[in-house]
PDB file of all heavy atoms in Angstrom:
ATOM      1  N   THR C 156      -3.696 -18.758 -24.486  1.00  0.00           N
ATOM      2  CA  THR C 156      -5.023 -18.147 -24.621  1.00  0.00           C
ATOM      3  C   THR C 156      -5.305 -17.207 -23.456  1.00  0.00           C
ATOM      4  O   THR C 156      -6.334 -16.563 -23.424  1.00  0.00           O
ATOM      5  CB  THR C 156      -6.118 -19.238 -24.670  1.00  0.00           C
ATOM      6  OG1 THR C 156      -6.044 -20.026 -23.496  1.00  0.00           O
ATOM      7  CG2 THR C 156      -5.970 -20.086 -25.917  1.00  0.00           C
ATOM      8  N   GLY C 157      -4.388 -17.118 -22.501  1.00  0.00           N
ATOM      9  CA  GLY C 157      -4.518 -16.176 -21.387  1.00  0.00           C
ATOM     10  C   GLY C 157      -4.806 -16.842 -20.064  1.00  0.00           C
ATOM     11  O   GLY C 157      -5.196 -18.005 -20.004  1.00  0.00           O
ATOM     12  N   ALA C 158      -4.551 -16.078 -19.019  1.00  0.00           N
ATOM     13  CA  ALA C 158      -4.819 -16.528 -17.652  1.00  0.00           C
ATOM     14  C   ALA C 158      -5.444 -15.367 -16.896  1.00  0.00           C
ATOM     15  O   ALA C 158      -5.093 -14.203 -17.119  1.00  0.00           O
ATOM     16  CB  ALA C 158      -3.533 -16.979 -16.958  1.00  0.00           C
ATOM     17  N   ALA C 159      -6.370 -15.679 -16.019  1.00  0.00           N
ATOM     18  CA  ALA C 159      -7.036 -14.638 -15.222  1.00  0.00           C
ATOM     19  C   ALA C 159      -6.132 -14.210 -14.086  1.00  0.00           C
ATOM     20  O   ALA C 159      -5.477 -15.043 -13.436  1.00  0.00           O
ATOM     21  CB  ALA C 159      -8.351 -15.156 -14.664  1.00  0.00           C
ATOM     22  N   ALA C 160      -6.080 -12.906 -13.846  1.00  0.00           N
ATOM     23  CA  ALA C 160      -5.336 -12.365 -12.719  1.00  0.00           C
ATOM     24  C   ALA C 160      -6.288 -12.190 -11.540  1.00  0.00           C
ATOM     25  O   ALA C 160      -7.462 -11.847 -11.730  1.00  0.00           O
ATOM     26  CB  ALA C 160      -4.714 -11.028 -13.098  1.00  0.00           C
ATOM     27  N   ASP C 161      -5.811 -12.444 -10.345  1.00  0.00           N
ATOM     28  CA  ASP C 161      -6.606 -12.144  -9.152  1.00  0.00           C
ATOM     29  C   ASP C 161      -6.773 -10.633  -9.068  1.00  0.00           C
ATOM     30  O   ASP C 161      -5.920  -9.872  -9.528  1.00  0.00           O
ATOM     31  CB  ASP C 161      -5.890 -12.658  -7.897  1.00  0.00           C
ATOM     32  CG  ASP C 161      -5.830 -14.176  -7.840  1.00  0.00           C
ATOM     33  OD1 ASP C 161      -6.729 -14.832  -8.398  1.00  0.00           O
ATOM     34  OD2 ASP C 161      -4.864 -14.693  -7.236  1.00  0.00           O
ATOM     35  N   VAL C 162      -7.859 -10.194  -8.487  1.00  0.00           N
ATOM     36  CA  VAL C 162      -8.119  -8.758  -8.351  1.00  0.00           C
ATOM     37  C   VAL C 162      -8.149  -8.411  -6.864  1.00  0.00           C
ATOM     38  O   VAL C 162      -8.813  -9.082  -6.071  1.00  0.00           O
ATOM     39  CB  VAL C 162      -9.459  -8.379  -9.026  1.00  0.00           C
ATOM     40  CG1 VAL C 162      -9.743  -6.908  -8.851  1.00  0.00           C
ATOM     41  CG2 VAL C 162      -9.432  -8.738 -10.500  1.00  0.00           C
ATOM     42  N   ALA C 163      -7.388  -7.367  -6.500  1.00  0.00           N
ATOM     43  CA  ALA C 163      -7.345  -6.919  -5.108  1.00  0.00           C
ATOM     44  C   ALA C 163      -7.551  -5.408  -5.079  1.00  0.00           C
ATOM     45  O   ALA C 163      -7.064  -4.689  -5.948  1.00  0.00           O
ATOM     46  CB  ALA C 163      -5.995  -7.277  -4.496  1.00  0.00           C
ATOM     47  N   GLU C 164      -8.287  -4.954  -4.083  1.00  0.00           N
ATOM     48  CA  GLU C 164      -8.499  -3.522  -3.873  1.00  0.00           C
ATOM     49  C   GLU C 164      -9.170  -2.831  -5.055  1.00  0.00           C
ATOM     50  O   GLU C 164      -8.899  -1.663  -5.341  1.00  0.00           O
ATOM     51  CB  GLU C 164      -7.183  -2.837  -3.490  1.00  0.00           C
ATOM     52  CG  GLU C 164      -6.587  -3.402  -2.207  1.00  0.00           C
ATOM     53  CD  GLU C 164      -5.247  -2.819  -1.866  1.00  0.00           C
ATOM     54  OE1 GLU C 164      -5.009  -1.640  -2.167  1.00  0.00           O
ATOM     55  OE2 GLU C 164      -4.434  -3.551  -1.283  1.00  0.00           O
ATOM     56  N   LEU C 165     -10.022  -3.555  -5.761  1.00  0.00           N
ATOM     57  CA  LEU C 165     -10.872  -2.971  -6.809  1.00  0.00           C
ATOM     58  C   LEU C 165     -12.304  -3.342  -6.446  1.00  0.00           C
ATOM     59  O   LEU C 165     -12.838  -4.351  -6.911  1.00  0.00           O
ATOM     60  CB  LEU C 165     -10.534  -3.542  -8.185  1.00  0.00           C
ATOM     61  CG  LEU C 165      -9.373  -2.928  -8.935  1.00  0.00           C
ATOM     62  CD1 LEU C 165      -9.120  -3.661 -10.247  1.00  0.00           C
ATOM     63  CD2 LEU C 165      -9.603  -1.460  -9.200  1.00  0.00           C
ATOM     64  N   PRO C 166     -12.941  -2.553  -5.588  1.00  0.00           N
ATOM     65  CA  PRO C 166     -14.269  -2.936  -5.098  1.00  0.00           C
ATOM     66  C   PRO C 166     -15.295  -3.101  -6.210  1.00  0.00           C
ATOM     67  O   PRO C 166     -16.218  -3.905  -6.079  1.00  0.00           O
ATOM     68  CB  PRO C 166     -14.661  -1.801  -4.148  1.00  0.00           C
ATOM     69  CG  PRO C 166     -13.664  -0.717  -4.342  1.00  0.00           C
ATOM     70  CD  PRO C 166     -12.487  -1.293  -5.041  1.00  0.00           C
ATOM     71  N   GLU C 167     -15.143  -2.397  -7.331  1.00  0.00           N
ATOM     72  CA  GLU C 167     -16.118  -2.533  -8.401  1.00  0.00           C
ATOM     73  C   GLU C 167     -16.093  -3.924  -9.039  1.00  0.00           C
ATOM     74  O   GLU C 167     -17.057  -4.364  -9.659  1.00  0.00           O
ATOM     75  CB  GLU C 167     -15.964  -1.439  -9.460  1.00  0.00           C
ATOM     76  CG  GLU C 167     -14.637  -1.404 -10.176  1.00  0.00           C
ATOM     77  CD  GLU C 167     -13.590  -0.501  -9.533  1.00  0.00           C
ATOM     78  OE1 GLU C 167     -13.556  -0.387  -8.292  1.00  0.00           O
ATOM     79  OE2 GLU C 167     -12.793   0.072 -10.277  1.00  0.00           O
ATOM     80  N   ALA C 168     -14.959  -4.647  -8.885  1.00  0.00           N
ATOM     81  CA  ALA C 168     -14.890  -6.013  -9.430  1.00  0.00           C
ATOM     82  C   ALA C 168     -15.870  -6.921  -8.699  1.00  0.00           C
ATOM     83  O   ALA C 168     -16.434  -7.845  -9.298  1.00  0.00           O
ATOM     84  CB  ALA C 168     -13.476  -6.555  -9.306  1.00  0.00           C
ATOM     85  N   ASP C 169     -16.085  -6.690  -7.406  1.00  0.00           N
ATOM     86  CA  ASP C 169     -17.028  -7.490  -6.626  1.00  0.00           C
ATOM     87  C   ASP C 169     -18.439  -6.929  -6.670  1.00  0.00           C
ATOM     88  O   ASP C 169     -19.397  -7.590  -6.317  1.00  0.00           O
ATOM     89  CB  ASP C 169     -16.575  -7.573  -5.155  1.00  0.00           C
ATOM     90  CG  ASP C 169     -15.293  -8.366  -5.015  1.00  0.00           C
ATOM     91  OD1 ASP C 169     -15.077  -9.293  -5.806  1.00  0.00           O
ATOM     92  OD2 ASP C 169     -14.487  -8.020  -4.121  1.00  0.00           O
ATOM     93  N   GLY C 170     -18.555  -5.671  -7.075  1.00  0.00           N
ATOM     94  CA  GLY C 170     -19.860  -5.018  -7.112  1.00  0.00           C
ATOM     95  C   GLY C 170     -20.400  -4.950  -8.528  1.00  0.00           C
ATOM     96  O   GLY C 170     -20.579  -5.980  -9.187  1.00  0.00           O
ATOM     97  N   PRO C 171     -20.634  -3.737  -9.026  1.00  0.00           N
ATOM     98  CA  PRO C 171     -21.271  -3.576 -10.327  1.00  0.00           C
ATOM     99  C   PRO C 171     -20.373  -3.980 -11.517  1.00  0.00           C
ATOM    100  O   PRO C 171     -20.856  -4.189 -12.603  1.00  0.00           O
ATOM    101  CB  PRO C 171     -21.598  -2.083 -10.382  1.00  0.00           C
ATOM    102  CG  PRO C 171     -20.610  -1.451  -9.454  1.00  0.00           C
ATOM    103  CD  PRO C 171     -20.360  -2.464  -8.391  1.00  0.00           C
ATOM    104  N   GLY C 172     -19.076  -4.076 -11.288  1.00  0.00           N
ATOM    105  CA  GLY C 172     -18.159  -4.454 -12.368  1.00  0.00           C
ATOM    106  C   GLY C 172     -17.218  -3.303 -12.718  1.00  0.00           C
ATOM    107  O   GLY C 172     -17.441  -2.145 -12.371  1.00  0.00           O
TER     108      GLY C 172
END
Side-chain angles (χ1 to χ4, degrees):
T156 58
D161 292 331
V162 179
E164 299 176 33
L165 277 177
E167 61 268 34
D169 293 328

